[in-house]
Structure formats: structure tokens, C-alpha cells
Amino acid sequence: MAAICFEAKLFEINSWTILRLPETASAELPSRGMTMVSGTINGVPFKAVLEPDGRYAPGQKSSHWFRPSQKLLDDASAKAGDTVEVSLEPSAEWIEPEVPEDLSEALASAPKADALWQDITPLARWDWIRWIRAVKTPETRQKHIEVALDKLNKGMRRPCCFNRNLCSEPYVSHNWSLLEPEQTRQ
């Protein structure tokens, strides 16, 4: 697949700097859901998981987004409000997700679940983490962790009934859709 090249304006939602792909660039990706890519921002290389923005209303086209690390932004001399040059390509090689501390502690207490966790693919680990974080309250998050441990203990390699095309990051979304910059909750 040829590189997908575009310009995009970085914007801020609830203190996170976000890069949302233009709809035309997103349409060239192989999936409307979470997608692994490698590319450059202002010539600086990166690998990232693109999240779906969750837009599926009539007349709206969906897109993808990600949160560039502060190091990537610094190296690319970019900040919220800047327009950056982006080139990216889908990648079959998934990066390891950062395992949240509460999930890591829970896995450490459940050897059978942890063994399966170590055996599943990085993509499957991303699915579990997205499913666990896609909640509004700490109580529901804890329940998701307990259910995940139970399912992993039973040999289930992925969460069931989880729509990978929705925006599952509650810090920057509402009703499964990425917020617009003017909708921040500061």
C-alpha cells in the first residue's frame, strides 16, 4: 500500500494534543476500527495505534485519531494549533499497549489469566485494554477488570461484544464519539 500523505491541524481536547486524520485519509485505511500505522509527522518517524473517532451519524463520515507523545511533538517541533505534514502506512506489526496499573496488578494476582495474557497477540491485549477503559466510573472499570480476569481464566482470548469502531477513550469522548475541541470538559 502506498503511503497516505496529508496535512492536519493538531488540536487539544481536555489537555491532550490530538491528531485527527482528514476523512479522505482515513478512508484509505483498511479498517474503520482501531488500526496500527507507522509514519512520520514533519519528517519525524512514529508508530501508533489509530483510534476510531466513533462518528456514525447520517451524513457524517468516520475518521481516526491518535495522541502523539510529547517527545514526538517536541521532535517534530509541533504543538496544538499547528498544522503538520503527515505520512503513514498501515502496519501488521502491532506495538505493545501500555498496561494500566490496575490491570497489571490484577493479572499478577491471577497466574492462569496472566499466562494467557502473555500468550495473546498485542492486538488482543489492545482490545482488552480498550474494553476495560471504555467506562465512565471507577466501579464499572473494576467490574470490567474482574470480568476480564474471569474470561481470561476460562481461556477467552478477546472480549466479546465490543465494537472496535467506537471511540473508547472516555477522557476525550462522549457517547463513544471523539469530542470536538470546543466540547472540552475542563
Side-chain angles (χ1 to χ4, degrees), residues 54-104:
R55 295 188 178 182
Y56 292 101
Q60 287 187 333
K61 294 190 178 188
S62 62
S63 187
H64 291 83
W65 67 277
F66 80 104
R67 180 185 184 196
S69 70
Q70 189 59 54
K71 179 176 180 355
L72 175 56
L73 292 170
D74 291 346
D75 291 350
S77 299
K79 63 186 180 315
D82 291 348
T83 298
V84 293
E85 292 184 18
V86 181
S87 174
L88 54 81
E89 294 181 46
S91 172
E93 185 180 321
W94 284 77
I95 57 175
E96 282 293 332
E98 185 176 324
V99 181
E101 188 175 331
D102 54 354
L103 176 57
S104 183

Side-chain angles (χ1 to χ4, degrees), residues 118-160:
Q118 299 306 321
D119 189 54
I120 61 177
T121 65
L123 174 55
R125 288 190 281 272
W126 275 101
D127 281 344
W128 280 112
I129 290 168
R130 290 180 77 231
W131 180 75
I132 288 167
R133 79 172 185 212
V135 297
K136 294 181 181 181
T137 68
E139 296 79 19
T140 306
R141 181 182 174 99
Q142 184 56 43
K143 180 68 175 166
H144 272 216
I145 289 173
E146 292 167 9
V147 169
L149 288 181
D150 182 59
K151 290 182 179 209
L152 288 162
N153 277 325
K154 291 176 180 171
M156 292 182 69
R157 301 177 76 82
R158 295 243 167 116
C160 70

Side-chain angles (χ1 to χ4, degrees), residues 10-91:
L10 297 169
F11 60 93
E12 204 170 84
I13 297 177
N14 293 329
S15 79
W16 282 15
T17 299
I18 302 290
L19 186 147
R20 181 190 288 148
L21 278 65
E23 292 171 359
T24 53
S26 183
E28 294 184 49
L29 294 169
S31 170
R32 295 299 80 192
M34 184 175 56
T35 303
M36 180 71 213
V37 297
S38 59
T40 62
I41 293 179
N42 290 347
V44 178
F46 72 93
K47 281 190 164 193
V49 173
L50 300 180
E51 295 270 353
D53 69 5
R55 295 188 178 182
Y56 292 101
Q60 287 187 333
K61 294 190 178 188
S62 62
S63 187
H64 291 83
W65 67 277
F66 80 104
R67 180 185 184 196
S69 70
Q70 189 59 54
K71 179 176 180 355
L72 175 56
L73 292 170
D74 291 346
D75 291 350
S77 299
K79 63 186 180 315
D82 291 348
T83 298
V84 293
E85 292 184 18
V86 181
S87 174
L88 54 81
E89 294 181 46
S91 172

